[in-house]
Structure formats: structure tokens, C-alpha cells
Amino acid sequence: MFETIDWLIGIIKSIRINDVIDIILVSVIIYYLLKFIIGTRGWQILIGLFFLLFIWLAAKILHLTTIEWIFDNLWSIGIFILIVVFQPEIRRGLAKIGERGLLRYSLLSKKKAIDEIIRAATFLAERKIGALIVFERSIDLENYTEGCVKLDADISLELLISIFIPQTPLHDGAVIIKDQRIASARCFLPLTINPNIPKNIGTRHRAGIGISEETDAVALIVSEERGEISLAIDGKLYRNLDPLTLRNMLIKVLEIEKSDIVENIRKKLKKRQKNEKT
């Protein structure tokens, strides 16, 4: 036992700061590569490549000479095949990195999604059209999507309004937002059984409170009767929110606010550009 502990301590001591940086950089690269590929045609091709890799390993183990020879020669030109096959995904990923950078792109896309949702909620509230939008956080809402309509669509003002317009197929139920995308629509959520909830609120509000009680999700509710916007967070209902207050609360509770470091850099760059112009 002591030998094992000494061995582990020896390994930990041998780790250099360069090794840690190397591992972090490789992890980030793999994460963004998968993020760009998942959900595209390239993801299906990647699964096919893993299947071919499995066949090659099986051939090695079973000593299938012909298959081994084919794959050994195939891998020698594999890098060129991958570049050709994944050319659209590589071009799209490099374009995003070159346009805004990975961190800036992530921050802006999250805020843009929030702004689109707030604009849609304001539009619906002004016309007294009911809506229920649920934001997934750390707890997966997969258990609550059974029977929902899967969308996996970009968040947009037009799409959200179209979903909640009365008499449309998807207007009844909730929309679930996951990873800055509209994951599902027409979802039916558990109702709160809290006896302290005001009796004058309807099923839509009770469903929003219920999902926020059972999970850490945040629910945005637009009242059909009063035309007001509310947020349900941790079983509490915050009612009659104006767009600015709603935006600030969502940015805070969903933890998408820019860090002070990034904000300070942006301000310094803006100030420098202003000085150069003058």
C-alpha cells in the first residue's frame, strides 16, 4: 500500500507546469472540435470512422492479414482523407475563431440568445399571449421532455412568437432552452403543490414554479390574462418584470455575465481607439 502511495506521489511530483498547460490546451481543442461537429453531417462521418477503427483493431487481434494490410495502407493517407471529408466543418470552425474568437463568441451568443427571448416575451406580453420558456441549467431536463416535440433550433424572435401564437400546433405547453438552442416545444411540466402560491395564478405559472422546485431550471412566464412577465427561480415567483430587470436577472441567474477582466480589456481597447481617433 505504501509503495502505491509513493508511486502516486512520484508521478504527481514529476508533472510539470508545461504538462498541465498541454493537457488543458488539448482538452479545449477537442471540446470545440466536437462542438463544431456534433449535430452536423461530420458527426455521422466521425461515428463511421470510429466503426472502421474498431474493425481495424479487431483485425489486429484476430490476425486477419488482408484487412490489416488494407487498413495499414489506408491510414497512411488518412489525414488527407479527413481534411477532404471534414472540409465544411473545418472551414466553419476557423471562420468562427477568426471572426470573434472562442471566448468572445461564446459570451456574445449567450447574450444575443437572452435578448431574443426577452424581445419575444415583451412582444407576447403586450398582446396578452401566454408563454412558458424554461432554461435548463446544471440538472438535465431530459426526464421532462417525454412527449415533447424535438426542435433543436436556433433561438429567434420570430420562431418563439410563432410557437406561442394561439391555435398553432405547438402553442400549448412549455419551450425548453438548452445550450442556447430551442431544444423542445409543447412540453408539459409538473405543477407546484405549494399551498402558499396565490390562488389567482393559472396553470402556466404553477408549471413554471413546479419545474423550478423539482430542478434548478429557471422558468419565464408570460401571463395571458394580465400581460405581465414573471420568473420562477428555486420555487419563488418574481412577477411583473420590465425588460431591463428581466434581462439583468436572467444574466445573473444563468451565470452568463462577462467577467471583469474581459470587460476591462474591452473598455481599455475602446478608450485607446477613441484616443487614436482624436
Side-chain angles (χ1 to χ4, degrees):
M1 180 178 177
F2 291 106
E3 293 179 356
T4 304
I5 295 174
D6 292 337
W7 177 71
L8 290 174
I9 294 174
I11 292 177
I12 294 173
K13 288 182 177 180
S14 65
I15 298 176
R16 303 170 300 169
I17 186 66
N18 293 351
D19 298 327
V20 176
I21 295 173
D22 192 22
I23 293 171
I24 292 174
L25 289 176
V26 171
S27 301
V28 170
I29 291 171
I30 293 175
Y31 168 77
Y32 280 103
L33 283 175
L34 291 176
K35 184 178 180 180
F36 289 139
I37 291 175
I38 289 177
T40 67
R41 184 177 59 89
W43 178 247
Q44 298 174 344
I45 296 172
L46 187 63
I47 293 174
L49 289 175
F50 277 119
F51 179 71
L52 291 178
L53 180 61
F54 173 78
I55 294 176
W56 179 56
L57 292 174
K60 286 282 187 183
I61 296 172
L62 299 175
H63 302 290
L64 304 177
T65 309
T66 305
I67 296 180
E68 278 188 68
W69 180 86
I70 293 173
F71 276 99
D72 288 340
N73 286 276
L74 184 63
W75 297 134
S76 61
I77 59 171
I79 185 65
F80 301 103
I81 295 175
L82 289 176
I83 292 175
V84 173
V85 170
F86 290 101
Q87 184 265 344
E89 285 74 21
I90 294 173
R91 183 173 60 184
R92 180 167 60 91
L94 292 176
K96 286 185 177 180
I97 294 172
E99 180 184 359
R100 298 180 176 180
L102 296 177
L103 178 61
R104 181 171 173 80
Y105 175 80
S106 177
L107 288 170
L108 291 180
S109 63
K110 289 180 180 180
K111 288 206 169 188
K112 182 180 177 182
I114 291 298
D115 289 339
E116 286 290 291
I117 292 170
I118 293 173
R119 288 174 59 202
T122 304
F123 179 94
L124 296 169
E126 290 174 350
R127 290 156 180 79
K128 293 188 176 181
I129 299 173
L132 176 55
I133 302 173
V134 178
F135 300 86
E136 180 184 278
R137 291 204 281 178
S138 60
I139 298 178
D140 198 325
L141 299 180
E142 189 67 28
N143 294 334
Y144 300 94
T145 59
E146 186 176 350
C148 300
V149 176
K150 305 292 184 181
L151 294 181
D152 190 26
D154 291 333
I155 295 174
S156 69
L157 167 71
E158 295 79 8
L159 179 55
L160 287 170
I161 292 174
S162 299
I163 290 174
F164 290 111
I165 291 295
Q167 309 307 319
T168 57
L170 301 180
H171 86 281
D172 197 16
V175 161
I176 292 180
I177 304 295
K178 180 176 182 179
D179 297 328
Q180 289 77 61
R181 294 182 67 80
I182 301 176
S184 306
R186 207 180 68 182
C187 299
F188 297 97
L189 308 176
L191 304 182
T192 180
I193 56 174
N194 187 345
N196 298 321
I197 298 298
K199 295 182 179 180
N200 64 334
I201 66 172
T203 304
R204 190 174 286 110
H205 288 76
R206 293 181 181 276
I209 297 171
I211 193 66
S212 72
E213 289 174 337
E214 296 194 9
T215 69
D216 64 349
V218 176
L220 187 158
I221 309 107
V222 178
S223 172
E224 188 173 345
E225 296 179 359
R226 295 175 295 276
E228 66 178 26
I229 303 174
S230 305
L231 274 184
I233 306 171
D234 297 328
K236 296 180 181 179
L237 187 65
Y238 301 86
R239 304 177 65 177
N240 200 20
L241 303 175
D242 60 82
L244 181 59
T245 303
L246 175 64
R247 186 177 191 272
N248 292 335
M249 290 183 69
L250 285 175
I251 287 175
K252 182 178 180 180
V253 75
L254 298 177
E255 299 179 350
I256 59 174
E257 194 163 17
K258 290 184 178 179
S259 65
D260 293 335
I261 296 176
V262 175
E263 187 65 23
N264 288 336
I265 292 174
R266 187 188 67 81
K267 289 180 179 179
K268 287 180 180 179
L269 289 174
K270 190 174 181 180
K271 186 177 180 181
R272 180 181 296 178
Q273 290 174 355
K274 186 178 181 180
N275 293 334
E276 289 176 354
K277 289 180 180 180
T278 56

